[in-house]
Amino acid sequence: MAICSSQNTIVDQMAGIVITGNVIPQNWYRAIVKPTGKPYVEAIMILADIVYWYRPTEVRDEMTGQTTRLQKKFHGDLLQRSYQQISDQFGISKRQAARAIVALEELGVIRREFRDLKINGRSVNNVMYLELIPGRLQELTNPLQDDNKSISPILETTYTKNLDRTIEKMEIGYAGECDTNTKISPEINNKEYSILSYQEELEQFKNQIDYDAIRLDMPYQAEQLDEIVSLAVEILTTTKETIRVNKEERQTYLVQTQFRKLNMGRIRYVLDCLAHNTTEVRNIKAMLITSLYNAVSTMGSYYMARVQHDLYGD
């Protein structure tokens, strides 16, 4: 049966064009806005892409045409993304990508999760996964409010105020090579570490620990974080033969090997220990070197003890 014309040539031609991909509900332009009240376009585009990947594919029975099951588009339990991937896809800077992701998380529609993975026998640290929150998405997409005001303005928090200064560090030096450890890149883990200049090592170490994410999540310990980064880079660029750790002289290359294993989780662990420390420390530098050196092997036991204490008390 022939389909009647719409009496508009362009509309008729559009009937033969199949458009798929990301969908942006009109309500998002009112629900996802900057403190100025204007739509947060970058966050909206990124959310549309996340939603696309979480929308299931229908698998239908060939005979009946009925949907038999739903199938996800990605391989893991959560969608894996990096700031660099988002930057490349939408033609925005890594700073803009990170700001938008953090804004969406503060809005409650997504949640970031960082994992340490084993890829072909190699450790890959701080791989970022994004979890979509369907309940919050429903609120933003189909709001109950019928006024003309923005539903959920994204406020300029301490996190987003400090983000420009921290994220821009990721865009120089190694921007084209290793980017950030939220991107799976076997080349990063397969390189031989040489003595780099202080500035090069500084940028590399910040990428290694996902500095911007820690700075966002723990803004009140930003000063301590910067002290840790400065000390770690000093250790990684030293030409001394030995380094004193826990009152013992150790071969420098052994200490540097341990520091190469530091990641976001272990730095957060050290910061957590510092926050809970109640004893007076006379030599802060020595204490930090020992804490960072031991963090690789003691983090699991520390958190297990904390859980046991919370569950069972003293």
Side-chain angles (χ1 to χ4, degrees):
M1 180 178 178
I3 300 177
C4 295
S5 170
S6 67
Q7 306 305 315
N8 183 292
T9 303
I10 297 176
V11 173
D12 289 349
Q13 291 175 343
M14 285 298 297
I17 300 176
V18 178
I19 298 177
T20 61
N22 300 348
V23 177
I24 299 178
Q26 193 66 24
N27 280 332
W28 287 6
Y29 292 102
R30 293 174 54 238
I32 305 173
V33 298
K34 297 181 178 180
T36 60
K38 295 182 179 180
Y40 199 155
V41 177
E42 293 89 351
I44 291 170
M45 292 191 304
I46 292 170
L47 179 60
D49 188 62
I50 294 171
V51 169
Y52 164 79
W53 284 101
Y54 273 100
R55 281 180 7 227
T57 300
E58 291 186 356
V59 178
R60 298 189 178 188
D61 184 273
E62 185 177 355
M63 301 299 295
T64 65
Q66 297 296 314
T67 300
T68 58
R69 63 187 176 90
L70 301 178
Q71 182 173 296
K72 63 181 179 179
K73 296 184 177 82
F74 49 91
H75 295 293
D77 59 322
L78 296 176
L79 178 66
Q80 189 269 315
R81 280 292 180 270
S82 74
Y83 297 135
Q84 186 63 56
Q85 288 172 329
I86 296 170
S87 169
D88 293 341
Q89 180 176 354
F90 294 104
I92 59 179
S93 68
K94 286 173 65 175
R95 180 197 311 141
Q96 289 174 308
R99 285 177 64 92
I101 288 293
V102 170
L104 291 172
E105 186 173 43
E106 291 178 345
L107 196 57
V109 72
I110 67 168
R111 183 183 69 85
R112 289 178 302 164
E113 181 175 317
F114 294 91
R115 301 177 179 178
D116 294 344
L117 304 180
K118 283 280 189 181
I119 307 295
N120 296 325
R122 298 191 182 99
S123 295
V124 183
N125 300 324
N126 301 330
V127 179
M128 183 171 71
Y129 287 79
L130 300 176
E131 177 185 359
L132 183 65
I133 312 299
R136 182 58 173 149
L137 179 67
Q138 174 73 6
E139 293 173 358
L140 299 175
T141 306
N142 302 302
L144 298 177
Q145 292 92 330
D146 56 1
D147 57 19
N148 292 322
K149 296 181 180 179
S150 297
I151 301 167
S152 302
I154 297 173
L155 301 179
E156 191 76 13
T157 65
T158 305
Y159 287 173
T160 53
K161 285 179 181 177
N162 292 332
L163 189 57
D164 280 340
R165 185 167 63 254
T166 58
I167 296 299
E168 67 185 0
K169 300 294 186 180
M170 305 187 322
E171 297 178 333
I172 59 177
Y174 289 85
E177 264 178 72
C178 61
D179 304 316
T180 171
N181 281 350
T182 55
K183 177 180 179 180
I184 297 179
S185 179
E187 289 81 3
I188 299 174
N189 300 281
N190 196 33
K191 72 176 293 184
E192 293 183 0
Y193 300 109
S194 58
I195 297 178
L196 305 175
S197 71
Y198 184 91
Q199 188 61 36
E200 289 175 323
E201 191 65 70
L202 175 63
E203 303 305 331
Q204 180 167 303
F205 186 74
K206 283 186 174 181
N207 287 336
Q208 174 183 323
I209 66 171
D210 210 343
Y211 172 88
D212 67 292
I214 304 176
R215 185 74 179 256
L216 289 172
D217 293 340
M218 309 178 78
Y220 300 110
Q221 290 184 266
E223 185 175 344
Q224 290 177 317
L225 173 61
D226 288 339
E227 290 176 0
I228 287 174
V229 170
S230 178
L231 177 60
V233 174
E234 179 185 331
I235 295 296
L236 292 169
T237 56
T238 187
T239 57
K240 294 193 301 183
E241 293 184 0
T242 62
I243 296 173
R244 194 168 182 81
V245 179
N246 197 23
K247 300 180 180 180
E248 294 182 4
E249 293 295 329
R250 299 178 186 270
Q251 292 293 317
T252 295
Y253 79 92
L254 294 176
V255 179
Q256 290 176 337
T257 298
Q258 285 291 88
F259 275 53
R260 293 291 181 192
K261 297 177 183 178
L262 291 171
N263 56 27
M264 183 179 69
R266 286 158 182 158
I267 296 297
R268 288 172 62 99
Y269 155 63
V270 172
L271 288 170
D272 192 41
C273 289
L274 293 175
H276 288 86
N277 180 56
T278 58
T279 59
E280 182 180 357
V281 179
R282 295 182 179 180
N283 191 334
I284 297 294
K285 182 176 181 179
M287 183 272 290
L288 283 177
I289 291 176
T290 300
S291 297
L292 293 169
Y293 182 87
N294 291 334
V296 176
S297 56
T298 60
M299 182 177 69
S301 300
Y302 171 80
Y303 283 118
M304 179 61 70
R306 289 281 300 276
V307 170
Q308 294 290 329
H309 179 272
D310 291 343
L311 288 176
Y312 306 112
D314 297 330

